[in-house]
Amino acid sequence: MANWQLFLISHVPEIRPALRVGLGLAVPGAALLVVGRTDLLVYAVFGSVVGMYGRDPRRLQRFKNQVHGAVMMLCAGICGIMLAPFELHGWSLLAGGMLWAAFSSVVADRYGLKPGGAFFPLFAFCALGTLPVGEHPAVDGLATFVVTALFSIVLGQAAKFGPSTERGVETIAFPWPNVLRRAGTYLAVVLVAGTVGITLQVEHLQWIMVGAVVPLAAGSARGRLKRGAHRIAGTLVGMGVLLGIYYLRPSELMLGLVILALMFPTEAYMVRNYGLALSFFTPVIILMLQLANPTLGVQVMWDCAIGNLLGVILGIAAAAVFERRPRTQYASGAVG
């Protein structure tokens, strides 16, 4: 009992934002399950990511962070939704990925957002832009995406806040030359990873691109290696969790409930242990994509694993060439 109490006490800072993120997906997600639209869960999941940027205990600062996070996610995601009818692949997908990786890097670095980097906006563009939607954009998916993102901001402001004098997450306003230089690194890394993927004729190019940007969130070579290792380990463990879910042969309704449940530990460990967070988020990624596109088989798991492995390796190698000097990191600060 004492060990369990210590566990809860040590996780209190992560529990509150995790509950908000989980609730930000649970409410719209439950509505989608009730009306039988599990195919739209993928849009709700990416919309709920906006809640991950609401960790500051100060009301105004949390609102600013979530608005900036929403700008990144909505711009990238809506662009992907509108371009989905054109069946993005190959060089067109790579060009869009480079644009949104660089744009998200600028916003995240300039405003000191946590989670840092361009992973979530880039993944939103790639995932939503490659869904089979027919000849017209998925208007219902677009509405789900936007409404869930706005609902996450409302939840962030509806929470109980501490005193106005409470210190929150300390951020560093990097000068524009540094911000633009790092955005250039994202451009170069995504270009290298995407070009290699196209040359090797990788079917799901997005896995390589999003895997390549993961190590860039760290500011040094050692940090990139550690983050890359977390990415690979978390993906592999997540595959094991996914195989266990497949073994149970759940219905679409149960798969939807699993997705809603797994978002809570994903956010709870996103800052504390990135690899552990990915062990929960990887099943979410693949399950929501399969619900949106039932033609995806079990092969997508291995494409994800191989693509992430190759992307992480390319990201670490390319970052060592394009960004050699260690980069100042943001302080983790308090969360609420």
Side-chain angles (χ1 to χ4, degrees), residues 2 30 40-41 54 81 85 89 127 145 169 172 185 188 199 235 240 247 270 272 277 320 330:
L40 297 181
L41 273 176
I81 293 171
H89 65 279
F145 180 52
V169 179
I172 301 173
T185 300
T199 302
T235 299
Y247 178 78
M270 187 58 68
R272 177 181 288 268
Y330 302 118

Side-chain angles (χ1 to χ4, degrees), residues 23-334:
L23 190 60
L25 176 61
V27 173
L32 292 175
L33 295 181
V34 169
V35 298
R37 294 302 306 271
T38 55
D39 57 306
L40 297 181
L41 273 176
V42 60
Y43 299 95
V45 168
F46 282 117
S48 70
V49 168
V50 172
M52 292 188 180
Y53 297 95
R55 301 179 66 86
D56 199 288
R58 299 165 296 180
R59 183 182 298 276
L60 181 58
Q61 187 59 48
R62 178 182 297 175
F63 179 73
K64 291 179 179 179
N65 291 346
Q66 287 199 284
V67 168
H68 292 141
V71 167
M72 289 195 308
M73 292 299 300
L74 290 176
C75 287
I78 291 174
C79 181
I81 293 171
M82 299 307 294
L83 292 177
F86 297 97
E87 300 180 355
L88 295 178
H89 65 279
W91 296 109
S92 59
L93 181 61
L94 174 57
M98 292 172 60
L99 169 65
W100 292 114
F103 171 77
S104 303
S105 172
V106 169
V107 175
D109 276 0
R110 187 60 183 173
Y111 297 103
L113 299 182
K114 290 289 186 179
F119 170 76
F120 286 111
L122 173 61
F123 191 32
F125 168 77
C126 291
L128 300 181
T130 54
L131 290 176
V133 295
E135 298 180 356
H136 304 285
V139 178
D140 46 3
L142 175 62
T144 301
F145 180 52
V146 174
V147 169
T148 305
L150 296 179
F151 179 61
S152 296
I153 296 178
V154 172
L155 278 180
Q157 291 299 296
K160 181 179 179 180
F161 287 83
S164 59
T165 57
E166 184 177 355
R167 291 176 59 85
V169 179
E170 297 296 331
T171 60
I172 301 173
F174 285 120
W176 277 109
N178 291 7
V179 172
L180 296 177
R181 184 167 57 248
R182 180 140 186 263
T185 300
Y186 269 93
L187 276 174
V189 168
V190 174
L191 174 61
V192 170
T195 301
V196 171
I198 293 172
T199 302
L200 296 177
Q201 298 182 343
V202 175
E203 183 175 356
H204 297 97
L205 185 64
Q206 58 268 31
W207 297 121
I208 293 182
M209 292 196 294
V210 298
V213 302
V214 167
L216 299 184
S220 63
R222 177 176 294 181
R224 294 183 195 118
L225 287 172
K226 181 179 179 180
R227 194 167 180 85
H230 275 231
R231 174 72 180 181
I232 295 171
T235 299
L236 293 177
V237 173
M239 294 298 178
V241 174
L242 192 59
L243 287 174
I245 295 173
Y246 284 152
Y247 178 78
L248 297 175
R249 299 182 181 275
S251 63
E252 283 194 357
L253 176 61
M254 289 304 299
L255 287 178
L257 292 174
V258 168
I259 291 174
L260 301 186
L262 289 178
M263 278 302 288
F264 172 78
T266 296
E267 165 60 9
Y269 286 100
M270 187 58 68
V271 173
R272 177 181 288 268
N273 190 313
Y274 182 68
L276 186 56
L278 283 178
S279 68
F280 297 109
F281 191 55
T282 298
V284 171
I285 292 171
I286 296 178
L287 290 175
M288 70 184 186
L289 290 177
Q290 288 186 323
L291 287 176
N293 183 10
T295 62
L296 292 175
V298 180
Q299 180 63 32
V300 71
M301 285 199 318
W302 312 118
D303 292 342
C304 173
I306 295 172
N308 273 289
L309 174 60
L310 181 58
V312 166
I313 294 173
L314 291 172
I316 293 174
V321 174
F322 296 110
E323 191 178 275
R324 298 181 179 181
R325 290 183 300 176
R327 177 168 32 83
T328 305
Q329 296 292 289
Y330 302 118
S332 58

